[in-house]
């Protein structure tokens, strides 16, 4: 229970954005702070906004605004607000779960009258930060000062005489009384700068606005009557109209010289004219659009100048304020069901249709690779798990590696990319990999901290590979569930690599294992291998959960036709070209197969890894070159595809007849499942977790690892019995549907996460 | 780092990095103290295990530099805390001084019929009603620290500027309120003076009447 719980009125001004509004309202259900009402001010709509709002009857106050004017719409909301604090949020945004909690914390300070949080732009190529703690001058010169705002606040460059803290209109909150005292928003601003003008007037009235560097909202820009999202199509002169007016009104009030105000106004118009000309020369605009832009710009300029110099501000009149004094308590938005609501996909608006008996979990999954940016076993496991958990109603964040900090939403899952920052652990520079691993793990920890602060993340799940969750686990901030695939130590042993780096990397793995709250091996084989490493690791609770994938529709599977008329037969290998994946065994088996069954083709898909596994150093060439040199007679039977896209991979699975992956060790073997998905018989080795996936003689054939002869015989045995191939393929598909779907995996993980969170809370209570 | 690190060493390094990152502005001082404690622990361990005197000396110097940096952080922390603490004081003190209770309580003599000491009050209050009364100017003592003195000085100035920015804004708001209060008080003084005059004249009248009645009674 908090000491100070101000009542909030969340005002949403909306116009023709019904779908975005629906997502926003669903997201507000998940707020951790419940003392708030929602007021939706609807402009002259033409879409199904009112139908969406009718679903919230008795929970949302709906008001109408006859004109498309943001400031006027905000003022209607302000006058109707019954809360102590009025918060404004864009209708195409989704707040973080602790948004109102953060704002409430700020208003505990009686000196602060206004605040605003940061804005994340959810976009695959744009930087994550759309807005963070800026300042603005009385002439409208803006600076998004980000990290250096402290030093710049004293002497920012620009002509304006006064500078004040800036908040963004999509994420701001003010004390109701303070807003009413200054007459609310100036209704001259139809769009842009209404919040800057408000903050300027608050500053003149001696009110303090303190921008926050937390409390983010995720912005999913939607098109409006003034702009088409992520294009240059828009009525941009509306900005000039607002900014010229802003510079004149606020410049005069701040005592800026007339010459500097006029210079600023011309600067604004000049900038837009230059931009329009650029758009024309780049052929992004045609001549008609250009002329329209120039005319609009000129009209906007004169409108701003005339209203700025000669017309009074359009503020809320005191008589209207008197009638608006709140006489009733707020109409609370959240009800007893809100806490059980599954989280919607902010992009598609889809909400999982599940009935939750407990509140959804807040989960963070770590994976250095994540489709579509990277492909790779762990990335694909993680993607499937994230999707499954989302469909079970949980809110899932994935942290993955990227060139820059970004956030996107995929299948209802927030995917955050975190770049490498080599700014710590300099004492480990001699251990190249370790230095990178520790720095990346720390960068992830920093991001996890942000998510804990803003989203209330409860549990982190990290793969053991690359120990991404190491720093988080050591910090004790949250319980870390470690997902166990093939360990680095096993791979180093299999590939015969023993360096100082590998020794330290094994140590890192050991630390993460010992700091884990729960272990989830993907197979019994990996569980046995890891638990034997130390007594401490053996004592950590664990549960085997095999990975799962999305079953393809029946229409897409391609079992072998009977009677068989297909020729030549295709044998597919998928995996990195390295010793551990058994590529050399396959090379050795190919001649024997071709000699006995010439009507055949081998397709080998996967990136060459000869540099990292030491083959290149040892032989002086990569794997395809090695095959072509040593087995040149059989080169025409083999196609090397290299790394393939997801679409190509699906087509390869569909078109092959036999799938082969003779890995010397696999902790599980996702590739077998992917082939089984398309009803293909599989050939693997009796090692690691493979026998848990492939039933020998039923869904495929298992041979001893490192035995090319046995491998060739297995391939030939299937080639000579098409009926068996078909039966095994269909049996494999059936086994997948029964045991290895992503929903089965997600349900098992859900139990593990709930148990882990419960134990963590119990331990925390005991520690207190 | 010479030789191979142990698991314990790696965990300690991670904990230290976490500690370094755990300096939120509001818990600045606490975080510095935690770092200092950690550094002390490390120093003790390092110097205990090192045998070579030259290596020990080198380590000692590194720790000394760390100590200096920690002291610098502590100084910064103190400055921030003192500036934060002075903020409400600055606002509260001035108006309280302006409305010192002594002047008002001196009116306890009202009932005795003594005249009010009102002549000097308005000037005292009007002094505090000037709009610039609460305005603060930059006042930073030069740092005497060698080498890093300039850095410390520039940080101090930047922090002072920030605080002054908000303090002066709050000050102007408070000055406005003070002005209104002051005007009301001055108005009250006038009313009180008038009332006192009336009381005095009525007192004089009563005395006069009493004087008239007394001889009559005696008569």
């Amino acid at each position: 229970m908090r000491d100070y719980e101000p009542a909030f009125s969340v005002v949403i001004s909306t116009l023709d954005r019904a779908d975005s509004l629906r997502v926003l309202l669903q997201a507000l259900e998940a707020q951790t702070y419940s003392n708030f009402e929602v007021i939706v001010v609807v402009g002259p709509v033409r879409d199904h906004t009112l139908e969406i709002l009718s679903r919230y009857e008795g929970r949302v106050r709906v008001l109408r605004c006859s004109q498309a004017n943001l400031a006027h719409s905000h003022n209607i909301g302000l006058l109707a607000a019954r809360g102590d604090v009025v918060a404004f949020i864009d209708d195409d945004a989704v707040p973080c779960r602790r948004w109102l909690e953060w704002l409430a914390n700020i208003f505990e300070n009686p000196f602060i009258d206004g605040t605003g949080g940061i804005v994340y732009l959810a976009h695959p190529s744009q930087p994550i930060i759309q807005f963070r703690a800026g300042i603005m001058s009385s002439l409208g010169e803006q600076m998004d000062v980000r990290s250096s705002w402290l030093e710049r606040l004293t002497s920012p460059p620009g002509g304006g005489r006064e500078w004040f803290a800036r908040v963004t209109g999509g994420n701001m909150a003010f004390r109701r009384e303070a807003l009413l005292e200054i007459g609310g928003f100036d209704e001259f601003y139809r769009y842009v700068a209404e919040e800057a003008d408000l903050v300027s007037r608050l500053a003149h009235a001696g009110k303090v606005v303190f921008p926050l560097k937390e409390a983010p909202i995720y912005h999913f820009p939607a098109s409006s009557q003034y702009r088409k999202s992520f294009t240059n199509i828009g009525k941009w002169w509306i900005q000039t109209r607002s900014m010229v007016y802003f510079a004149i009104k606020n410049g005069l009030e701040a005592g800026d010289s007339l010459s500097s105000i006029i210079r600023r106004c011309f600067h604004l118009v000049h900038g837009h004219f230059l931009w329009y000309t650029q758009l024309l020369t780049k052929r992004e605009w045609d001549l008609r659009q250009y002329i329209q832009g120039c005319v609009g710009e000129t009209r906007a300029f004169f409108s701003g100048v005339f209203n700025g110099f000669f017309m009074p501000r359009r503020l809320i009149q005191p008589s209207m304020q008197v009638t608006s004094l709140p006489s009733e308590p707020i109409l609370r938005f959240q009800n007893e069901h809100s806490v059980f609501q599954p989280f919607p996909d902010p992009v598609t608006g889809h909400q999982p249709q599940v009935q939750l008996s407990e509140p959804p979990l807040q989960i963070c999954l770590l994976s250095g690779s994540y489709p579509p940016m990277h492909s790779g076993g762990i990335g694909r496991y993680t993607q499937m798990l994230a999707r499954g958990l989302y469909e079970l109603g949980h809110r899932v964040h994935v942290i993955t590696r990227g060139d820059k900090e970004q956030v996107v939403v995929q299948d209802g899952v927030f995917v955050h990319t975190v770049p490498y920052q080599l700014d710590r652990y300099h004492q480990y520079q001699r251990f190249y990999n370790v230095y990178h691993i520790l720095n990346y793990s720390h960068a992830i920890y920093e991001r996890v901290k942000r998510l804990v602060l803003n989203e209330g993340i409860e549990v982190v799940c990290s793969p053991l590979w690359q120990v991404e969750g190491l720093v988080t686990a050591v910090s004790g901030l949250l319980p870390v569930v470690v997902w166990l695939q093939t360990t680095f130590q096993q791979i180093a042993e299999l590939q015969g690599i023993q360096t100082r780096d590998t020794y330290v990397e094994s140590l890192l793995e050991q630390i993460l294992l010992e700091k884990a709250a729960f272990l989830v091996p993907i197979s019994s084989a990996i569980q046995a291998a890891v638990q034997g490493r130390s007594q401490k690791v053996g004592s950590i609770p664990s549960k085997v959960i095999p990975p799962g994938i999305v079953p393809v529709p029946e229409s897409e599977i391609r079992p072998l036709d009977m009677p068989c008329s297909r020729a030549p037969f295709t044998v597919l290998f998928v995996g990195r070209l390295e010793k551990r994946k058994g590529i050399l065994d396959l090379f050795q088996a190919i001649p024997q197969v071709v000699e006995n069954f010439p009507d055949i083709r081998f397709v080998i898909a996967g990136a060459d890894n000869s540099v990292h596994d030491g083959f290149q150093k040892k032989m002086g060439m990569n794997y395809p070159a090695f095959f072509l040199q040593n087995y040149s007679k059989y080169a025409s039977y083999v196609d090397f595809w290299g790394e393939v896209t997801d679409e190509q991979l699906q087509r390869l699975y569909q078109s092959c007849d036999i799938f082969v992956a003779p890995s010397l060790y696999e902790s599980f073997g996702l590739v077998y499942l992917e082939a089984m998905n398309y009803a293909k018989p599989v050939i693997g080795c009796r090692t690691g977790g493979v026998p848990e996936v492939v039933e020998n003689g039923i869904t495929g054939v298992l041979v001893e690892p490192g035995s090319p002869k046995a491998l060739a015989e297995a391939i030939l045995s299937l080639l000579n019995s098409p009926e068996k191939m078909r039966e095994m393929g269909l049996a494999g598909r059936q086994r997948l549907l029964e045991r290895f779907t992503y929903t089965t995996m997600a349900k098992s993980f859900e139990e593990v996460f709930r148990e882990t969170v419960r134990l963590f809370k119990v331990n925390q209570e005991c520690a207190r | 780092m010479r030789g191979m690190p142990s698991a314990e060493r790696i965990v300690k390094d991670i904990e230290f990095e976490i500690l370094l990152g755990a300096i939120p502005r509001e818990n600045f001082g606490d975080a510095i103290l935690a770092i200092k404690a950690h550094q002390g622990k490390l120093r003790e361990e390092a110097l205990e295990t090192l045998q070579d005197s030259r290596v020990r000396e080198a380590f000692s110097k590194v720790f000394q530099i760390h100590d200096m940096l920690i002291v610098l952080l502590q100084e910064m922390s103190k400055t921030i805390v003192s500036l934060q603490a002075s903020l409400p004081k600055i606002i509260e003190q001035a108006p309280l001084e302006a409305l010192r209770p002594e002047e008002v309580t001196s009116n306890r003599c009202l009932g005795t019929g003594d005249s009010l000491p009102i002549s000097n009050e308005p000037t005292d209050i009007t002094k505090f009603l000037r709009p610039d009364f609460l305005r603060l100017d930059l006042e930073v003592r030069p740092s005497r620290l060698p080498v890093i003195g300039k850095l410390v000085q520039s940080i101090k100035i930047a922090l002072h500027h920030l605080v002054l920015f908000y303090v002066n804004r709050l000050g102007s708001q408070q000055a406005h309120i003070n002005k209104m209060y002051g005007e009301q008080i001055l108005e009250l003084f006038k009313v009180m003076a008038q009332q006192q005059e009336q009381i005095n004249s009525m007192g004089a009248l009563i005395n006069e009447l009493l004087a008239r009645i007394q001889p009559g009674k005696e008569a």
Side-chain angles (χ1 to χ4, degrees):
Chain A
M1 187 71 186
R2 299 166 60 94
D3 294 335
Y4 177 69
E5 270 202 6
F8 274 77
S9 295
V10 177
V11 174
I12 306 163
S13 295
T14 189
L15 179 59
D16 290 342
R17 284 177 175 172
D19 294 330
S20 304
L21 179 69
R22 182 166 60 89
V23 172
L24 170 57
L25 291 172
Q26 284 170 340
L28 284 170
E29 300 251 25
Q31 282 297 301
T32 52
Y33 188 88
S34 60
N35 193 16
F36 71 97
E37 65 174 353
V38 173
I39 298 170
V40 181
V41 186
V42 184
V45 278
R46 287 162 298 179
D47 68 357
H48 58 291
T49 298
L50 294 173
E51 188 233 308
I52 297 286
L53 289 169
S54 65
R55 297 176 204 169
Y56 290 90
E57 207 176 329
R59 294 170 62 192
V60 170
R61 295 169 64 200
V62 181
L63 306 168
R64 298 303 300 263
C65 175
S66 57
Q67 43 181 297
N69 180 322
L70 196 57
H72 181 52
S73 181
H74 280 355
N75 277 344
I76 290 173
L78 170 63
L79 287 170
R82 295 169 185 163
D84 312 312
V85 177
V86 188
F88 297 89
I89 185 166
D90 275 356
D91 56 356
D92 57 352
V94 169
C96 69
R97 279 182 72 240
R98 300 177 74 177
W99 179 57
L100 288 175
E101 205 180 326
W102 268 108
L103 300 181
N105 287 344
I106 281 291
F107 286 106
E108 268 187 52
N109 184 337
F111 290 116
I112 293 175
D113 294 293
T115 187
I118 63 175
V119 179
Y120 287 148
L121 181 65
H123 193 266
S125 61
Q126 303 279 331
I128 185 171
I129 301 291
Q130 188 177 352
F131 175 83
R132 180 161 65 194
I135 53 173
M136 198 167 192
S137 80
S138 46
L139 295 181
E141 295 147 319
Q142 301 174 38
M143 272 175 53
D144 191 355
V145 284
R146 301 192 181 181
S147 56
S148 60
W149 73 290
L150 270 178
E151 56 182 280
R152 291 196 181 179
L153 195 58
T154 53
S155 57
R161 196 159 172 266
E162 277 187 10
W163 288 80
F164 44 87
R166 184 181 158 226
V167 294
T168 180
N171 182 4
M172 58 183 182
F174 304 92
R175 287 191 200 280
R176 182 177 178 277
E177 294 305 321
L179 285 194
L180 289 175
E181 194 182 313
I182 62 159
F185 293 86
D186 184 339
E187 293 179 11
F188 175 79
Y189 299 96
R190 287 182 210 155
Y191 178 65
V192 178
E194 79 284 352
E195 79 279 13
D197 182 80
L198 183 89
V199 173
S200 164
R201 285 185 291 114
L202 280 170
H204 281 142
K207 312 286 181 193
V208 177
V209 175
F210 183 82
L212 263 169
K213 287 193 179 179
E214 300 296 340
I217 60 164
Y218 298 88
H219 189 201
F220 299 88
S223 297
S224 70
Q225 60 162 341
Y226 294 122
R227 60 147 202 242
K228 195 169 174 186
S229 214
F230 294 118
T231 68
N232 287 317
I233 302 165
K235 297 175 182 174
W236 302 117
W237 49 91
I238 196 85
Q239 295 182 355
T240 305
R241 180 179 179 272
S242 296
M243 291 309 295
V244 165
Y245 176 82
F246 178 93
I248 295 169
K249 280 283 181 220
N250 291 284
L252 289 174
E253 281 166 20
D256 282 307
S257 67
L258 202 58
S259 62
S260 61
I261 293 172
I262 293 169
R263 200 163 46 240
R264 173 69 184 153
C265 292
F266 277 108
H267 179 259
L268 284 163
V269 183
H270 177 239
H272 265 198
F273 273 122
L274 281 181
W275 184 44
Y276 294 164
T277 311
Q278 267 185 11
L279 291 175
L280 182 71
T281 51
K282 284 182 184 170
R283 298 190 176 177
E284 287 184 41
W285 271 17
D286 57 27
L287 191 62
R288 192 182 59 82
Q289 282 174 308
Y290 179 72
I291 293 168
Q292 198 181 4
C294 291
V295 172
E297 195 68 28
T298 311
R299 282 179 55 190
F301 172 74
F302 284 111
S303 169
V305 168
F306 177 75
N307 283 280
F309 279 119
F310 306 112
M311 300 301 282
R313 285 184 180 278
R314 300 177 196 173
L315 302 174
I316 298 173
Q317 296 306 311
S319 57
M320 291 169 76
Q321 289 182 26
V322 172
T323 55
S324 80
L325 286 174
S327 53
E328 293 173 57
I330 61 165
L331 179 70
R332 283 202 184 217
F333 176 68
Q334 290 182 332
N335 60 19
E336 68 276 17
H337 304 296
S338 295
V339 74
F340 300 105
Q341 290 295 310
F343 188 73
D345 181 338
V347 175
T348 61
H350 168 259
Q351 190 173 27
Q353 297 302 308
V354 284
Q355 291 286 326
L356 295 172
S357 55
E358 288 180 77
L361 286 164
Q362 312 300 319
I363 303 162
C364 177
L365 306 179
L366 311 181
S367 176
S369 64
Y370 198 78
M373 288 169 285
H374 324 271
S375 57
I378 295 172
R380 279 185 285 163
Y381 291 149
T382 311
Q383 189 188 34
M384 291 300 105
L385 177 60
R387 188 172 159 183
L389 290 167
Y390 160 72
E391 288 180 12
L392 291 175
H394 305 293
R395 188 153 173 172
V396 186
H397 294 261
V398 172
I399 301 180
T400 186
R401 190 162 35 87
D403 299 332
K404 49 182 178 280
E405 225 176 302
Q406 284 175 329
V407 64
V408 289
V409 174
Q410 288 177 19
D411 299 325
V413 175
F414 286 79
V415 182
H416 307 259
T417 53
V418 173
Y420 269 112
Q421 291 166 329
L422 295 174
D423 52 0
R424 297 183 176 89
Y425 304 101
H426 300 301
Q427 64 271 42
Y428 292 92
Q429 273 178 342
R430 288 192 316 129
F431 307 94
Y432 183 81
N433 288 345
V434 175
Y435 178 50
H436 279 73
I437 287 171
L438 284 175
N439 271 291
Y440 183 58
S441 179
H442 208 106
I444 286 176
Y445 163 69
E446 294 292 337
R447 195 81 191 93
V448 169
K449 264 202 312 189
R450 290 264 84 75
L451 288 175
V452 172
L453 283 173
N454 293 311
E455 302 287 354
I457 292 293
E458 297 167 286
V459 62
V460 172
C461 179
S462 164
L464 184 64
W465 185 249
Q466 297 287 309
V467 294
E468 286 154 21
L470 177 67
V471 176
T472 310
V474 171
S475 75
L477 177 71
L478 284 176
V480 177
V481 173
V482 177
W483 203 1
L484 302 177
Q485 294 90 10
T486 313
T487 67
F488 184 78
Q489 196 180 16
Q490 285 172 309
I491 289 174
E493 280 166 13
L494 279 168
Q495 310 211 125
I497 310 166
Q498 279 304 333
T499 62
R500 290 179 321 164
D501 257 44
T502 56
Y503 169 75
V504 185
E505 281 177 63
S506 299
L507 280 183
L508 299 185
E509 276 190 347
Q510 187 67 22
I511 297 167
L512 180 56
L513 285 171
E514 290 179 1
K515 298 277 178 188
F518 208 106
L519 299 177
V520 179
I522 57 172
S523 65
S524 306
I526 202 80
Q527 185 180 36
V530 169
Q531 286 192 328
R533 277 171 77 155
S534 80
Q535 204 179 353
K536 195 169 178 186
V537 176
S539 66
I540 294 169
S542 77
K543 179 183 179 183
V544 176
I545 302 177
I549 60 174
V550 182
V552 294
E554 289 292 324
S555 58
E556 285 187 28
I557 66 167
R558 298 281 184 277
L560 194 65
D561 298 329
M562 295 304 289
C564 179
S565 58
R566 200 184 291 190
F569 282 108
T570 303
V571 178
L572 174 67
F573 168 94
V574 174
R576 281 189 307 275
L577 305 193
E578 62 183 29
K579 189 182 167 191
R580 181 172 75 91
K581 297 287 180 184
I583 188 68
L584 291 174
D585 296 334
L586 181 64
F587 285 170
Q588 283 185 53
I590 287 171
Q592 194 184 336
V593 176
V594 173
E595 292 298 336
N596 290 285
F597 202 99
D599 202 8
I600 192 166
R601 290 196 63 75
F602 285 88
V603 173
I604 296 177
D608 179 77
N609 198 31
S610 55
V611 174
H612 293 107
D613 78 344
F615 187 79
Q616 180 95 28
K617 196 176 171 187
K618 193 173 160 189
M619 304 302 292
M621 64 184 89
N622 61 21
Y623 285 103
F626 175 80
F627 182 81
L628 295 174
Q629 187 175 315
N630 291 282
Y631 303 93
S632 54
K633 191 179 161 190
Y634 306 98
S636 59
Y637 291 93
V638 180
D639 291 332
F640 287 97
W641 281 57
E643 194 166 4
V644 293
T645 62
D646 275 356
E647 290 76 29
Q648 285 174 321
L649 187 63
Q650 303 316 317
R651 279 203 298 276
L652 286 175
Y653 279 126
Q654 267 186 336
S655 59
C656 77
D657 300 297
I658 299 171
F659 176 79
V660 60
S663 297
L664 302 180
Y665 184 84
E666 283 289 352
S667 51
F668 183 77
L670 189 64
V671 283
Y672 304 109
L673 285 189
E674 288 177 340
M676 285 155 69
N677 205 3
Y678 289 91
K680 305 297 176 183
V682 297
I683 299 175
C685 291
R686 207 171 279 110
T687 179
V690 183
E692 295 169 48
V693 187
V694 183
E695 276 185 298
N696 190 26
I698 297 171
T699 65
V701 183
L702 293 178
V703 298
E704 289 308 313
S707 172
K709 191 165 175 274
L711 180 63
E713 282 167 5
I715 297 171
L716 285 167
S717 74
L718 287 181
L719 288 171
N720 289 319
S721 175
E723 203 161 307
K724 202 168 155 190
M725 278 165 67
R726 181 184 160 82
E727 277 171 18
M728 282 184 170
L730 290 172
R733 164 85 180 174
Q734 191 55 37
R735 184 169 162 79
L736 177 128
L737 294 176
E738 284 166 9
R739 299 183 57 171
F740 301 115
T741 62
Y742 74 107
T743 42
T744 318
M745 169 175 66
K747 276 177 190 159
S748 304
F749 262 98
E750 184 187 28
E751 286 167 21
V752 168
F753 289 151
R754 287 218 185 270
E755 177 64 9
T756 308
V757 170
R758 192 188 63 77
L759 287 174
F760 187 73
K761 282 179 183 163
V762 168
N763 289 339
Q764 274 190 324
E765 285 298 317
C766 292
R768 279 185 204 135
Chain B
M1 181 184 289
R2 298 256 166 229
M4 302 296 265
S6 63
E8 292 75 32
R9 175 80 265 156
I10 296 169
V11 171
K12 276 184 183 168
D13 286 343
I14 293 172
E15 283 171 349
F16 185 69
E17 288 291 345
I18 291 169
L19 216 58
L20 281 181
I23 311 180
R25 213 172 296 158
E26 61 272 26
N27 296 324
F28 199 60
D30 290 347
I32 293 167
L33 285 178
I35 290 171
K36 206 171 178 181
H38 190 77
Q39 147 115 340
K41 203 172 117 191
L42 281 184
R43 186 205 303 257
E44 201 180 312
E45 281 173 13
L47 296 181
E48 250 177 36
T49 49
L50 291 170
Q51 301 298 323
D52 190 327
S53 61
R54 282 187 309 170
V55 179
R56 283 170 66 96
E57 195 184 337
F59 261 79
S60 255
K61 279 183 181 164
V62 171
F63 280 122
Q64 276 170 15
I65 293 168
H66 286 177
D67 275 341
M68 281 165 69
L69 289 171
I70 291 171
V71 168
L72 174 63
L73 283 172
Q74 269 182 322
E75 284 301 315
M76 283 170 63
S77 165
K78 274 183 204 163
T79 314
I80 292 170
V81 171
S82 63
L83 287 172
Q84 281 174 342
S86 62
L87 204 132
K89 274 187 204 162
I90 292 163
I91 298 157
E92 283 167 13
Q93 273 176 2
L96 281 176
E97 276 173 24
L99 301 168
R100 285 169 84 91
E102 286 80 39
E103 284 83 354
V104 181
T105 49
S106 62
N107 293 347
R108 276 178 297 186
C109 56
L110 272 173
T112 62
D114 297 342
S115 62
L116 272 168
I118 53 172
S119 56
N120 59 340
E121 258 72 33
T123 50
D124 283 352
I125 289 173
T126 48
K127 187 177 82 181
F128 297 117
L129 296 186
R130 288 204 312 269
D132 60 340
F133 178 72
L134 292 176
R135 185 159 189 89
L136 295 180
D137 294 321
L138 188 69
E139 192 184 331
V140 182
R141 273 186 300 170
S143 171
R144 283 186 222 154
L145 285 171
V147 190
I148 50 171
K150 268 196 165 181
L151 175 70
V152 174
Q153 185 73 359
S154 58
I155 292 168
K156 274 185 176 176
I157 288 172
L159 290 169
H160 274 72
H161 268 300
L162 175 72
V163 174
L164 287 180
F165 177 81
Y166 283 108
V167 166
N168 283 333
R169 186 175 287 179
L170 285 170
S172 64
Q173 186 187 1
Q174 192 60 51
H176 181 65
I177 296 164
N178 292 350
K179 192 169 169 246
M180 290 195 305
Y181 274 131
E183 282 167 0
Q184 291 301 319
I185 289 164
L186 288 176
E187 200 61 40
L188 281 172
F189 271 125
K190 276 183 198 168
V191 173
M192 277 162 60
Q194 283 171 0
Q195 284 176 342
Q196 189 61 42
E197 274 174 23
Q198 281 177 353
I199 291 165
N200 289 344
S201 59
M202 282 170 77
L205 191 66
I206 290 165
N207 287 338
E208 196 184 312
L209 287 170
L210 279 172
R212 280 186 199 172
I213 293 164
Q214 290 294 348
K217 267 187 181 175
E218 280 168 14

